[in-house]
Amino acid sequence: MQNQLLAQLLEHWGLDRPDVVAHDFGGATALRTHLLNGKDYRSLTLIDPVALTPWGSPFVQHVRQHEAAFSGLPDYIQRAIVPAYIRGAIQREIPDDELAPYVQPWLGDPGQAAFYRQIAQMDERYTREAAVLYPTIRCPVQILWGEDDQWIPIERGRALQGMIPGRNFTPLPTPVTWFRKTRRGHCRCANPISTRTKIPLTKQNPCGSWLAREGGLAFNNDCD
C-alpha cells in the first residue's frame, strides 16, 4: 500500500527521477516503488532499511503473534514498554523529557492500540516480493548502516550490498535506526509519512549534504 501511495505522490508532485533517501520501512517502500511500480530515481540512499528477511526484533516478533493481549495492557505497563523499546535503538543516554515526544503518541486511546496494530501489520512478504528484483535496480545506490544497530544488524546491510549492482556501502560508527530530534546542523526531511525525522549533515552522511543542496526527497516510514 505504501509504495502505491509513494508512486502517486511522485506523480502528484511531478517529480521525475528524484534523489531519494529512505530509512527503515521507508527503505522497503522506496525499493518497492522503484521495482514494482516502475518509478525511476536519479539516486537512492538507503539508511538501515528494512529490506531483507527475517527482520524485526524479538519484541516485534512476539507482538505480531499476540497483538490483542498487548493492546489491552494497563497504561502503566505501556508507559514502561514504549520508552524501553525506543531506547533500544539509541546508543546514547537520552533524558525522559527529550524522549517524551516520541513516546506520547503511543499512549492512551487510540495510541496504544495503534502501536501494536502497526507492528502486527508488518508482513515479510513485502520485502520478499522486492528482494528477488534487487539485482535489477536501475540507479546508483548508496547504503548507510550503523555499525552497532540493535534493531537491524549491519550483517543484514552487507548481505543487501551483495545483491544490488552499482552500490556503495558505508558503515557508520553510531546506530541510525533512530534519528535525533534536534541537533545543530540537521535539515528537516520532506517526509510524506512523518515530519519528525532529520538527517545529519556530516561528512559521514553525504546524503544530507546533497539533500540540502538539491532538495531531494527523504522519508522514514514511521507508521504513524
Side-chain angles (χ1 to χ4, degrees), residues 16-36:
D16 182 29
R17 300 182 68 249
D19 294 305
V20 175
V21 177
H23 166 242
D24 199 71
F25 278 108
T29 299
L31 287 164
R32 286 176 59 85
T33 303
H34 177 65
L35 295 167
L36 301 181

Side-chain angles (χ1 to χ4, degrees), residues 43-77:
S43 68
L44 174 61
T45 297
L46 298 169
I47 307 175
D48 286 41
V50 174
L52 294 176
T53 57
W55 45 260
S57 66
F59 173 74
V60 164
Q61 295 178 22
H62 188 70
V63 169
R64 286 168 62 189
Q65 301 177 44
H66 306 286
E67 176 196 356
F70 279 90
S71 295
L73 286 173
D75 181 68
Y76 72 94
I77 298 293

